[in-house]
Structures are given as structure tokens and as C-alpha cells.
Amino acid sequence: PGKADWFISEDDMLVGTALRDLRNPANSVTVGSGNEQPTKYLGTHWYFGSLDAGGIHQNSGVQNYFYYLLSEGGTGNNDGILYSVDGIGLANARRIAYEANTNFMPSTATYTDSRQAWIDAANSINPAFVPSVIAAWDAVGVFGTSITPVLTSDESFETSTALPLNWSTSSTGSTAWSVVTN
């Protein structure tokens, strides 16, 4: 198997290196100036408007970065948040993602609910993963307090080789998570 490079659409870009850089969604060198995404919930580059269904694509950088940190780990300062995350590896993060989205997350989940779903999923797979899940959510500014924007189920995955039953890879799919701001 190949090694994750954490770029999305890097082979299709005419400007910039990639459509998205999960290692650093705010990196203007890889995504091109003006295409930066937030790495922190409600942080720099967060989209608050009504276009893009309230920012479901633009604001995906937060969860993309969370997933990268959970998989690979890292330390640093993310938009004012000092963090240290012990990575659990891509295979373990993938297992937790599937479990969280399949068994723990309702379609009306808030970011706080999503955090809790990932914690519960990690606990059900291997409790040793829970500290990394918590640290990765903290690193992107999603803490255990009430957060207003709601995750909805109107955005589909772009690609996957193993989706749960009733999940779609089409642009009209209805089971992946996206952000809608109030």
C-alpha cells in the first residue's frame, strides 16, 4: 500500500499543489493564496456566510486537520492553541471514523456531539486511543462545551473504497457530515 501524502486533488491542480492540504489546510503554498481553510473551529479562515451551504467545503479544514493530527500526531501552535497529539496511525483513525459515523453520531450532531462520538468510538475500539482523540479535538478548538454550528447529513464523500451500507460517493449522497453555521 502507498503512504498518505495528505493532499487532495494534487494531480488535478493548475494553481497550487492541491485542492486541500490535510496536514495544514491554511497553507497558502500548497492550496494557493485565497484558498486557505481554517485549522481551528471559528478561527482564521472560518467562513461565516451563506454561500457554500454555510461553508461546508470551506470549513472542512477543521475536521481534516483533526483527522491528520489523530493519525500522524504533532505538536505546535494552531491558531493560538498550543497542542501535543500522539498519533494513532491511519488504520486506527479510519476504524474510529467508521465507528463514530456508523454507531455514535446522530444526523443532528453538533461539533461537541461529533467530538463525543469519536471519543465513544475510540473507547469501544481501544480505550488507549481516547487521549489522542481528545487531544486532536482540543488542538482544533472543539472542546467539551456547547458549540452552535450543527453537522448535517447532506454532503457526500468525494472518494472511498469501503463505505458503510447506504452511503454514497455521488454528489447527491446524504450521509456524510458537513457544517452548517447558524
Side-chain angles (χ1 to χ4, degrees), residues 154 156 168-174:
D154 64 357
S156 65
S168 171
T169 58
S170 73
S171 63
T172 59
S174 62

Side-chain angles (χ1 to χ4, degrees), residues 86-158:
D86 292 325
I88 62 171
L90 188 57
N92 292 322
R94 183 176 34 233
R95 289 176 57 210
I96 295 170
Y98 178 84
E99 186 72 11
N101 284 296
T102 303
N103 296 315
F104 291 100
M105 197 163 349
S107 62
T108 58
T110 64
Y111 265 95
T112 301
D113 295 334
S114 181
R115 172 191 168 104
Q116 189 61 51
W118 280 73
I119 291 168
D120 292 343
N123 193 51
S124 74
I125 293 170
N126 184 342
F129 296 149
V130 171
S132 292
V133 170
I134 290 170
W137 277 118
D138 287 352
V140 298
V142 178
F143 303 103
T145 58
S146 177
I147 298 174
T148 306
V150 176
L151 296 171
T152 63
S153 58
D154 64 357
E155 181 69 14
S156 65
F157 285 107
E158 291 180 358

Side-chain angles (χ1 to χ4, degrees), residues 31 81 131:
V31 299
I81 298 174

Side-chain angles (χ1 to χ4, degrees), residues 10-94:
E10 67 273 23
D11 297 328
D12 300 331
M13 300 305 294
L14 298 175
V15 177
T17 303
L19 179 64
R20 290 192 176 52
D21 180 350
L22 280 66
R23 299 168 308 156
N24 183 355
N27 186 345
S28 62
V29 173
T30 55
V31 299
S33 182
N35 297 315
E36 300 91 345
Q37 292 187 314
T39 57
K40 175 184 167 190
Y41 176 74
L42 300 177
T44 304
H45 305 296
W46 186 268
Y47 178 75
F48 291 96
S50 60
L51 298 176
D52 187 26
I56 60 175
H57 294 97
Q58 173 65 25
N59 295 333
S60 70
V62 172
Q63 286 190 337
N64 292 340
Y65 192 49
F66 155 79
Y67 190 77
Y68 167 78
L69 288 173
L70 181 62
S71 299
E72 300 288 335
T75 60
N77 183 331
N78 180 28
D79 205 359
I81 298 174
L82 295 176
Y83 68 89
S84 180
V85 180
D86 292 325
I88 62 171
L90 188 57
N92 292 322
R94 183 176 34 233

